[in-house]
Amino acid sequence: METPDAQPDTPGQETPAPTEQSEPASQEPASDKPKNDASRVPARLRPILNYLLHPYPELPPMPTGWLARIMFGLTILAACTFVAFFSAYLFALHDAYLTHAEDLGIMDQALWTTTHGAILHQTICNAVSDTNCFGDISRFAIHFEPILLPLSLLYALIPSPKTLQFVQALVVASGALPAYWLAGRRLRSPIAGFVFALVYLLFPALQAAVVDDFHAVTLSAAFLMFAFYFMLARNDVGLFVACLLALSTKEEIPLDVIMIGLSVALLQRRRRAGWSLVALSVVWLGIAYLTMSLVSPTGHPALAGRYSDFLHHPLSVLGHNVFSQSGLFYFQTLLSPVGYLALFSPLTVLIAIPAMAINLLSSDPSMRIGIYQYNAEIVPTLVFAAIEGVALLTVAGQWVLKNAIHDLVGMGGRAEAAATWLRAQPLGRWVMLALVVYALYFGMYEQQTRGYLPTVRGFTWPQVTAHALEANSIIAQIPQSASVSAQSDLVPHLSERRYVYMFPDGDDSADYIFLDVTGNLYPLATTPTVYYGEVYRLLGGSQYHVIVARDGYLLLKRGAGPPLNPHDINGLPASFYSFTQTHETPPHPLAVRFGSSLELVGYSVSPASTLYLNAPYLTITTYWRVTATPGNYYPQLVLTRQDGSQYIANGFPATQFLPMGLWRPGYTYVVRSEPLLMTSREVGTLRLGVGVIIAPILDNQPRYVPASLVGNPGAGAQPPYLLDNNTIAVFAGEQVVG
């Protein structure tokens, strides 16, 4: 039986190239082949010089035999597992109302409108802080993504955001195949092929792009992985098809393909194919820019403003974004999952420089933190560079070992016996496998800290709550033909209509307004008082009237109408306030009295006990029993960091719509925080505390209701303690791990 052991030992050495018949897609003339002569170089140095002179040699045949079949089968299994897991996970996120207007709602609407006569039109945008919010415009004004046109054909059959989620997981997972073929042939090992397929699938930045709603550019990861494989396989037809697919995903991809074309022309010396790719990319880039400029209301690409700071203050932007702690973190995020092996192939890393520059020079910090779609196109280049790095280090390692063995010869005794034994061993294979194991270790390690699989610290499966099911029943009451303004996480469930807006956009013109005062307030999450003010304006005006108010949801219809409850200060029925009350026992009982009217009887924290910064949001829920009518109070969370500084949070939905002064004696009320963003400042033990402030605040000095411990805490609870002159009750500790 033929086995992989029959393959040459060292991936850096030249092997006879397959004949023209074995590679029918190669169209390069023989005269384009490199003709470097290293015959005058000492024999010891020739392997390394040969590698340097031929950085991208033609791939040898794929190893065959039982091991190759097993490794390929495992690669297929890993890719299928990736598709199955991420499809299920993304579907669960959507069902739990944890997907967003930007960009799943936008993409869903753009494809739906295409099948209904308005090609790639969108009305969803962030009217608060985005520079590209122009109302009813073509998607081409924002990004040049022609691949959406064929994707829209799927919407003629299955119009659903889940269609996009599945397609994204499927296409990205397919990139494991060229990773397997590329590493398996380049390193002459099916084991290496399987490992680098895993490294690709485990890459945290790639998984982050898959989880982050849907973006056409995320698909480019697989297309570019295929392009690199076809480049080394000298399959020009495959190379051009893969590059065309990649180009169709976003207007910046021509820069990546230009770099690939230059590599083909200058390093592989295949000038016709290389310069043709460069020319194709330049033409494509011109078409993209012209299209976006013609469609954009501003006359130029809508996102060009992200680079105005760099154009006016280049040194300042370089110092702040690149040569800084944040820049170092960005490079670490990209390079660590491949064990920094990519750095040993700097010519390959150069292919990713334009994409990295686009992220680093932007004024949008989200482009360089590694948890969105912006790095999807970079991942295949780094995986390719890591494979090339292993190839170089294998050549170098074998060279070092052979020279060391040569020095042992003639020493006699055990040394010479050892040298004789070692000379008979496949030293290059040992070195290569050691490097492959090293790459896999880093891939798995980074997955544990920054990835999205169930093995990751702090992983939780999205839960479809009774609150989410309530939203489904309310959405069913909105006519399909009606225009709607809704909060971000509600939009993807309403986006298959001609006009849908992200609140507060459209809240003066839409037929319906759908809100969840307990949900994600984006784009007003950092200014919740503005959000609440806008809601109160709608409730107090005559332009809209409330037709449904349940569990924190508000569905308003255009036009005047009677209040649902004329006796309520907001005109809302008791069913709206159900999110503020509970009859259940708190998960963690407490007994802390605040003044004579309030008692803190319990709390819950999500995630419990330990928070990892790869999932950096902390939600705190406190439970309050009312013993007498409270005064004009409101609660304030006080989180004390390890260095003694404090993280303050207030303005909770429960007390915004039902102030403590309206709480009724004998009832237990629930106050849940918005998700609180934890950063490196909070790393360590974070003491969670709460105080009650007397309103109004005079001279910017809050006055606290005095706190005291009463009785004994409930079973299993840790006794709280008091800080700041008995005004802050610390009730739990949270470990924040970076």
Side-chain angles (χ1 to χ4, degrees), residues 35-81:
K35 299 180 179 179
N36 296 289
D37 184 6
S39 59
R40 300 178 185 177
V41 178
R44 285 190 176 190
L45 296 177
R46 286 178 191 171
I48 294 179
L49 181 62
N50 185 56
Y51 177 90
L52 296 176
L53 293 177
H54 307 89
Y56 299 135
E58 188 168 358
L59 294 175
M62 188 72 191
T64 57
W66 61 269
L67 182 59
R69 290 192 291 271
I70 291 175
M71 291 298 106
F72 184 67
L74 290 175
T75 299
I76 295 294
L77 178 62
C80 291
T81 302

Short mmCIF file of all heavy atoms in Angstrom, two decimals, residues 35-81:
data_model
loop_
_atom_site.label_atom_id
_atom_site.label_comp_id
_atom_site.label_asym_id
_atom_site.label_seq_id
_atom_site.Cartn_x
_atom_site.Cartn_y
_atom_site.Cartn_z
N LYS A 35 15.02 30.67 -13.03
CA LYS A 35 16.22 30.00 -13.52
C LYS A 35 17.43 30.31 -12.63
O LYS A 35 18.54 30.45 -13.10
CB LYS A 35 16.51 30.44 -14.95
CG LYS A 35 15.38 30.08 -15.94
CD LYS A 35 15.71 30.55 -17.34
CE LYS A 35 14.63 30.20 -18.32
NZ LYS A 35 14.91 30.67 -19.68
N ASN A 36 17.21 30.45 -11.31
CA ASN A 36 18.30 30.78 -10.43
C ASN A 36 19.26 29.60 -10.30
O ASN A 36 18.85 28.43 -10.21
CB ASN A 36 17.75 31.14 -9.05
CG ASN A 36 16.88 32.38 -9.14
OD1 ASN A 36 17.38 33.47 -9.33
ND2 ASN A 36 15.57 32.20 -9.02
N ASP A 37 20.52 29.88 -10.30
CA ASP A 37 21.55 28.84 -10.21
C ASP A 37 22.26 28.99 -8.88
O ASP A 37 22.94 29.99 -8.64
CB ASP A 37 22.52 28.98 -11.37
CG ASP A 37 23.56 27.88 -11.38
OD1 ASP A 37 23.43 26.96 -10.55
OD2 ASP A 37 24.47 27.96 -12.22
N ALA A 38 22.12 27.97 -8.02
CA ALA A 38 22.76 28.02 -6.71
C ALA A 38 23.94 27.06 -6.64
O ALA A 38 24.39 26.70 -5.57
CB ALA A 38 21.73 27.66 -5.62
N SER A 39 24.47 26.66 -7.82
CA SER A 39 25.51 25.63 -7.85
C SER A 39 26.81 26.09 -7.22
O SER A 39 27.63 25.27 -6.82
CB SER A 39 25.73 25.16 -9.28
OG SER A 39 26.14 26.26 -10.09
N ARG A 40 27.04 27.40 -7.19
CA ARG A 40 28.30 27.89 -6.64
C ARG A 40 28.26 28.04 -5.12
O ARG A 40 29.27 28.36 -4.51
CB ARG A 40 28.65 29.23 -7.26
CG ARG A 40 28.80 29.18 -8.78
CD ARG A 40 29.10 30.55 -9.35
NE ARG A 40 29.12 30.53 -10.81
CZ ARG A 40 29.31 31.61 -11.56
NH1 ARG A 40 29.49 32.80 -10.97
NH2 ARG A 40 29.32 31.51 -12.87
N VAL A 41 27.12 27.82 -4.53
CA VAL A 41 26.96 27.98 -3.09
C VAL A 41 27.39 26.70 -2.40
O VAL A 41 27.15 25.59 -2.92
CB VAL A 41 25.49 28.30 -2.75
CG1 VAL A 41 25.29 28.41 -1.25
CG2 VAL A 41 25.08 29.58 -3.43
N PRO A 42 28.05 26.77 -1.24
CA PRO A 42 28.42 25.55 -0.51
C PRO A 42 27.21 24.65 -0.30
O PRO A 42 26.10 25.11 -0.08
CB PRO A 42 28.97 26.09 0.81
CG PRO A 42 29.45 27.47 0.47
CD PRO A 42 28.53 27.98 -0.58
N ALA A 43 27.46 23.35 -0.36
CA ALA A 43 26.36 22.38 -0.30
C ALA A 43 25.53 22.54 0.96
O ALA A 43 24.32 22.33 0.95
CB ALA A 43 26.93 20.96 -0.40
N ARG A 44 26.17 22.90 2.07
CA ARG A 44 25.44 23.03 3.32
C ARG A 44 24.37 24.11 3.26
O ARG A 44 23.35 24.03 3.94
CB ARG A 44 26.40 23.35 4.47
CG ARG A 44 27.23 22.17 4.95
CD ARG A 44 27.96 22.53 6.23
NE ARG A 44 28.70 21.42 6.80
CZ ARG A 44 29.25 21.44 8.00
NH1 ARG A 44 29.15 22.53 8.74
NH2 ARG A 44 29.91 20.39 8.45
N LEU A 45 24.61 25.16 2.48
CA LEU A 45 23.69 26.30 2.45
C LEU A 45 22.64 26.21 1.35
O LEU A 45 21.72 27.02 1.31
CB LEU A 45 24.49 27.60 2.29
CG LEU A 45 25.45 27.96 3.41
CD1 LEU A 45 26.21 29.24 3.06
CD2 LEU A 45 24.70 28.15 4.73
N ARG A 46 22.79 25.24 0.45
CA ARG A 46 21.90 25.21 -0.70
C ARG A 46 20.42 25.04 -0.35
O ARG A 46 19.58 25.68 -0.98
CB ARG A 46 22.35 24.11 -1.67
CG ARG A 46 23.60 24.47 -2.44
CD ARG A 46 24.04 23.34 -3.34
NE ARG A 46 25.38 23.60 -3.87
CZ ARG A 46 26.07 22.71 -4.55
NH1 ARG A 46 25.55 21.51 -4.78
NH2 ARG A 46 27.28 23.01 -4.99
N PRO A 47 20.05 24.18 0.63
CA PRO A 47 18.61 24.05 0.92
C PRO A 47 17.96 25.36 1.32
O PRO A 47 16.86 25.68 0.87
CB PRO A 47 18.59 23.02 2.07
CG PRO A 47 19.85 22.23 1.90
CD PRO A 47 20.86 23.23 1.40
N ILE A 48 18.65 26.13 2.18
CA ILE A 48 18.06 27.40 2.64
C ILE A 48 18.03 28.40 1.50
O ILE A 48 17.03 29.11 1.29
CB ILE A 48 18.83 27.94 3.85
CG1 ILE A 48 18.65 27.01 5.04
CG2 ILE A 48 18.38 29.35 4.19
CD1 ILE A 48 19.38 27.44 6.28
N LEU A 49 19.13 28.48 0.71
CA LEU A 49 19.16 29.42 -0.40
C LEU A 49 18.09 29.06 -1.43
O LEU A 49 17.43 29.93 -1.99
CB LEU A 49 20.54 29.43 -1.04
CG LEU A 49 20.70 30.41 -2.23
CD1 LEU A 49 20.48 31.84 -1.76
CD2 LEU A 49 22.06 30.25 -2.88
N ASN A 50 17.92 27.77 -1.64
CA ASN A 50 16.91 27.31 -2.59
C ASN A 50 15.52 27.77 -2.16
O ASN A 50 14.71 28.20 -2.98
CB ASN A 50 16.96 25.79 -2.72
CG ASN A 50 16.02 25.28 -3.79
OD1 ASN A 50 16.12 25.70 -4.93
ND2 ASN A 50 15.12 24.38 -3.42
N TYR A 51 15.26 27.69 -0.86
CA TYR A 51 13.95 28.14 -0.36
C TYR A 51 13.78 29.64 -0.56
O TYR A 51 12.72 30.11 -0.98
CB TYR A 51 13.80 27.81 1.13
CG TYR A 51 12.49 28.31 1.71
CD1 TYR A 51 11.36 27.52 1.69
CD2 TYR A 51 12.39 29.59 2.24
CE1 TYR A 51 10.16 27.98 2.18
CE2 TYR A 51 11.20 30.07 2.73
CZ TYR A 51 10.08 29.26 2.71
OH TYR A 51 8.90 29.74 3.19
N LEU A 52 14.83 30.41 -0.26
CA LEU A 52 14.73 31.87 -0.37
C LEU A 52 14.56 32.31 -1.82
O LEU A 52 13.89 33.31 -2.09
CB LEU A 52 15.96 32.52 0.26
CG LEU A 52 16.13 32.29 1.77
CD1 LEU A 52 17.44 32.91 2.26
CD2 LEU A 52 14.96 32.89 2.55
N LEU A 53 15.19 31.59 -2.74
CA LEU A 53 15.08 31.96 -4.15
C LEU A 53 13.75 31.52 -4.76
O LEU A 53 13.33 32.05 -5.79
CB LEU A 53 16.23 31.34 -4.95
CG LEU A 53 17.63 31.89 -4.63
CD1 LEU A 53 18.68 31.13 -5.43
CD2 LEU A 53 17.71 33.38 -4.92
N HIS A 54 13.10 30.55 -4.14
CA HIS A 54 11.82 30.04 -4.65
C HIS A 54 10.81 30.04 -3.51
O HIS A 54 10.47 28.98 -2.99
CB HIS A 54 11.98 28.63 -5.23
CG HIS A 54 13.06 28.52 -6.25
ND1 HIS A 54 14.37 28.23 -5.93
CD2 HIS A 54 13.03 28.66 -7.60
CE1 HIS A 54 15.10 28.20 -7.02
NE2 HIS A 54 14.31 28.45 -8.06
N PRO A 55 10.32 31.20 -3.09
CA PRO A 55 9.45 31.26 -1.90
C PRO A 55 8.12 30.55 -2.08
O PRO A 55 7.53 30.09 -1.12
CB PRO A 55 9.25 32.77 -1.69
CG PRO A 55 9.53 33.39 -3.02
CD PRO A 55 10.56 32.54 -3.65
N TYR A 56 7.61 30.47 -3.31
CA TYR A 56 6.33 29.79 -3.54
C TYR A 56 6.51 28.73 -4.62
O TYR A 56 6.01 28.85 -5.74
CB TYR A 56 5.26 30.79 -3.98
CG TYR A 56 4.98 31.86 -2.96
CD1 TYR A 56 4.86 33.20 -3.34
CD2 TYR A 56 4.81 31.55 -1.61
CE1 TYR A 56 4.58 34.19 -2.41
CE2 TYR A 56 4.54 32.53 -0.67
CZ TYR A 56 4.43 33.85 -1.08
OH TYR A 56 4.16 34.82 -0.16
N PRO A 57 7.22 27.63 -4.31
CA PRO A 57 7.43 26.60 -5.33
C PRO A 57 6.13 25.90 -5.68
O PRO A 57 5.15 25.93 -4.93
CB PRO A 57 8.40 25.63 -4.63
CG PRO A 57 8.09 25.80 -3.17
CD PRO A 57 7.78 27.26 -3.01
N GLU A 58 6.12 25.28 -6.84
CA GLU A 58 4.93 24.53 -7.25
C GLU A 58 4.71 23.36 -6.29
O GLU A 58 5.66 22.70 -5.86
CB GLU A 58 5.11 24.03 -8.68
CG GLU A 58 3.86 23.40 -9.25
CD GLU A 58 3.97 23.18 -10.75
OE1 GLU A 58 5.01 23.56 -11.32
OE2 GLU A 58 3.01 22.66 -11.32
N LEU A 59 3.47 23.12 -5.95
CA LEU A 59 3.17 22.11 -4.95
C LEU A 59 3.44 20.71 -5.48
O LEU A 59 3.09 20.39 -6.62
CB LEU A 59 1.70 22.20 -4.54
CG LEU A 59 1.29 23.47 -3.78
CD1 LEU A 59 -0.21 23.47 -3.54
CD2 LEU A 59 2.03 23.59 -2.47
N PRO A 60 4.05 19.86 -4.66
CA PRO A 60 4.17 18.45 -5.03
C PRO A 60 2.80 17.78 -4.93
O PRO A 60 1.85 18.36 -4.40
CB PRO A 60 5.14 17.90 -3.99
CG PRO A 60 4.92 18.77 -2.79
CD PRO A 60 4.63 20.14 -3.34
N PRO A 61 2.67 16.56 -5.42
CA PRO A 61 1.37 15.87 -5.31
C PRO A 61 0.97 15.68 -3.85
O PRO A 61 1.81 15.62 -2.96
CB PRO A 61 1.62 14.52 -6.01
CG PRO A 61 2.82 14.76 -6.87
CD PRO A 61 3.65 15.77 -6.17
N MET A 62 -0.33 15.57 -3.62
CA MET A 62 -0.83 15.32 -2.28
C MET A 62 -0.45 13.92 -1.84
O MET A 62 -0.56 12.96 -2.63
CB MET A 62 -2.36 15.46 -2.27
CG MET A 62 -2.97 15.41 -0.88
SD MET A 62 -2.61 16.93 0.05
CE MET A 62 -3.15 16.44 1.69
N PRO A 63 0.05 13.76 -0.62
CA PRO A 63 0.33 12.40 -0.14
C PRO A 63 -0.91 11.52 -0.23
O PRO A 63 -2.03 11.99 -0.08
CB PRO A 63 0.74 12.63 1.32
CG PRO A 63 1.24 14.04 1.37
CD PRO A 63 0.40 14.78 0.37
N THR A 64 -0.70 10.25 -0.48
CA THR A 64 -1.80 9.30 -0.61
C THR A 64 -1.65 8.20 0.43
O THR A 64 -0.69 8.17 1.18
CB THR A 64 -1.84 8.70 -2.02
OG1 THR A 64 -0.58 8.07 -2.28
CG2 THR A 64 -2.10 9.77 -3.06
N GLY A 65 -2.60 7.29 0.46
CA GLY A 65 -2.53 6.19 1.41
C GLY A 65 -3.59 6.31 2.48
O GLY A 65 -4.40 7.24 2.51
N TRP A 66 -3.59 5.35 3.41
CA TRP A 66 -4.63 5.29 4.45
C TRP A 66 -4.61 6.51 5.36
O TRP A 66 -5.66 7.01 5.77
CB TRP A 66 -4.49 4.02 5.26
CG TRP A 66 -3.17 3.91 6.00
CD1 TRP A 66 -2.03 3.33 5.56
CD2 TRP A 66 -2.89 4.42 7.31
NE1 TRP A 66 -1.02 3.45 6.49
CE2 TRP A 66 -1.53 4.10 7.58
CE3 TRP A 66 -3.62 5.10 8.26
CZ2 TRP A 66 -0.92 4.46 8.78
CZ3 TRP A 66 -3.02 5.44 9.47
CH2 TRP A 66 -1.68 5.12 9.72
N LEU A 67 -3.40 7.01 5.69
CA LEU A 67 -3.33 8.15 6.59
C LEU A 67 -3.92 9.40 5.93
O LEU A 67 -4.64 10.18 6.57
CB LEU A 67 -1.88 8.41 7.00
CG LEU A 67 -1.66 9.57 8.00
CD1 LEU A 67 -2.43 9.33 9.29
CD2 LEU A 67 -0.18 9.75 8.28
N ALA A 68 -3.63 9.58 4.65
CA ALA A 68 -4.18 10.74 3.94
C ALA A 68 -5.69 10.67 3.88
O ALA A 68 -6.38 11.69 4.04
CB ALA A 68 -3.60 10.80 2.52
N ARG A 69 -6.23 9.46 3.67
CA ARG A 69 -7.69 9.33 3.63
C ARG A 69 -8.31 9.64 4.98
O ARG A 69 -9.37 10.28 5.07
CB ARG A 69 -8.07 7.92 3.16
CG ARG A 69 -7.76 7.67 1.69
CD ARG A 69 -8.41 6.40 1.19
NE ARG A 69 -7.79 5.21 1.80
CZ ARG A 69 -6.74 4.57 1.30
NH1 ARG A 69 -6.16 5.01 0.19
NH2 ARG A 69 -6.26 3.50 1.90
N ILE A 70 -7.67 9.20 6.05
CA ILE A 70 -8.20 9.48 7.39
C ILE A 70 -8.15 10.98 7.68
O ILE A 70 -9.12 11.57 8.19
CB ILE A 70 -7.41 8.69 8.45
CG1 ILE A 70 -7.70 7.19 8.33
CG2 ILE A 70 -7.76 9.18 9.86
CD1 ILE A 70 -6.87 6.33 9.26
N MET A 71 -7.02 11.62 7.37
CA MET A 71 -6.88 13.04 7.66
C MET A 71 -7.87 13.88 6.84
O MET A 71 -8.44 14.85 7.34
CB MET A 71 -5.45 13.50 7.37
CG MET A 71 -4.41 12.94 8.34
SD MET A 71 -4.66 13.44 10.07
CE MET A 71 -5.29 11.91 10.75
N PHE A 72 -8.08 13.49 5.58
CA PHE A 72 -9.04 14.23 4.77
C PHE A 72 -10.46 14.03 5.32
O PHE A 72 -11.27 14.97 5.37
CB PHE A 72 -8.97 13.79 3.31
CG PHE A 72 -9.88 14.57 2.41
CD1 PHE A 72 -9.65 15.92 2.15
CD2 PHE A 72 -10.97 13.97 1.80
CE1 PHE A 72 -10.49 16.64 1.33
CE2 PHE A 72 -11.82 14.68 0.96
CZ PHE A 72 -11.57 16.03 0.73
N GLY A 73 -10.76 12.81 5.74
CA GLY A 73 -12.06 12.55 6.35
C GLY A 73 -12.27 13.37 7.61
O GLY A 73 -13.36 13.91 7.85
N LEU A 74 -11.23 13.48 8.42
CA LEU A 74 -11.33 14.28 9.65
C LEU A 74 -11.50 15.77 9.32
O LEU A 74 -12.20 16.50 10.04
CB LEU A 74 -10.08 14.07 10.52
CG LEU A 74 -9.96 12.70 11.18
CD1 LEU A 74 -8.63 12.58 11.92
CD2 LEU A 74 -11.12 12.46 12.14
N THR A 75 -10.87 16.21 8.24
CA THR A 75 -11.04 17.61 7.82
C THR A 75 -12.48 17.88 7.41
O THR A 75 -13.08 18.89 7.80
CB THR A 75 -10.09 17.93 6.65
OG1 THR A 75 -8.73 17.76 7.08
CG2 THR A 75 -10.28 19.38 6.18
N ILE A 76 -13.06 16.96 6.63
CA ILE A 76 -14.46 17.10 6.24
C ILE A 76 -15.35 17.09 7.48
O ILE A 76 -16.29 17.91 7.60
CB ILE A 76 -14.87 15.96 5.29
CG1 ILE A 76 -14.11 16.06 3.97
CG2 ILE A 76 -16.38 15.99 5.03
CD1 ILE A 76 -14.45 17.27 3.14
N LEU A 77 -15.07 16.21 8.43
CA LEU A 77 -15.85 16.13 9.67
C LEU A 77 -15.75 17.44 10.45
O LEU A 77 -16.76 17.94 10.97
CB LEU A 77 -15.37 14.96 10.52
CG LEU A 77 -16.08 14.78 11.87
CD1 LEU A 77 -17.56 14.50 11.67
CD2 LEU A 77 -15.40 13.66 12.66
N ALA A 78 -14.54 18.00 10.54
CA ALA A 78 -14.35 19.26 11.27
C ALA A 78 -15.12 20.39 10.60
O ALA A 78 -15.76 21.20 11.29
CB ALA A 78 -12.86 19.60 11.34
N ALA A 79 -15.09 20.45 9.27
CA ALA A 79 -15.82 21.50 8.56
C ALA A 79 -17.33 21.34 8.76
O ALA A 79 -18.04 22.33 8.99
CB ALA A 79 -15.47 21.48 7.08
N CYS A 80 -17.82 20.11 8.67
CA CYS A 80 -19.26 19.88 8.88
C CYS A 80 -19.67 20.21 10.31
O CYS A 80 -20.75 20.76 10.54
CB CYS A 80 -19.60 18.43 8.55
SG CYS A 80 -19.48 18.02 6.79
N THR A 81 -18.81 19.88 11.26
CA THR A 81 -19.10 20.22 12.65
C THR A 81 -19.16 21.73 12.84
O THR A 81 -20.02 22.25 13.57
CB THR A 81 -18.03 19.61 13.58
OG1 THR A 81 -17.99 18.19 13.39
CG2 THR A 81 -18.33 19.92 15.03
#
